[in-house]
Amino acid sequence: MDVSIQKDGNFLTLDADGNRHRFHAVWLRDNAWDAETRALGNGQKLIALRDISPEIAISQAKITAGGLHVVFA
């Protein structure tokens, strides 16, 4: 599985098993499972979509044993 980030950080692309999947930075941030955006006990969202800047960008992304790790600028 390979991961790449668009030059401006607006989206990332995952290539796996001959399939290409593209994910927008806003969507990834809205669906992230970190302590800043989700209640770890029950998964409830702690932010609303309107709280995410439309200017958000992906600065780093890598595949780990636990899944996809994304860092936002």
Side-chain angles (χ1 to χ4, degrees):
M1 186 176 302
D2 293 318
V3 62
S4 60
I5 303 170
Q6 181 188 20
K7 289 181 184 180
D8 62 8
N10 281 337
F11 65 86
L12 67 76
T13 302
L14 288 176
D15 290 313
D17 301 325
N19 295 305
R20 178 170 282 167
H21 307 279
R22 191 170 120 166
F23 299 92
H24 194 277
V26 172
W27 185 90
L28 286 167
R29 190 68 191 122
D30 186 45
N31 289 280
W33 280 82
D34 60 281
E36 294 176 30
T37 60
R38 296 277 182 155
L40 298 180
N42 62 12
Q44 180 178 348
K45 286 186 177 184
L46 302 174
I47 63 171
L49 186 57
R50 69 178 173 270
D51 298 327
I52 301 171
S53 169
E55 304 300 319
I56 194 165
I58 302 163
S59 61
Q60 296 177 25
K62 65 180 177 179
I63 305 296
T64 66
L68 177 65
H69 179 79
V70 178
V71 177
F72 297 94

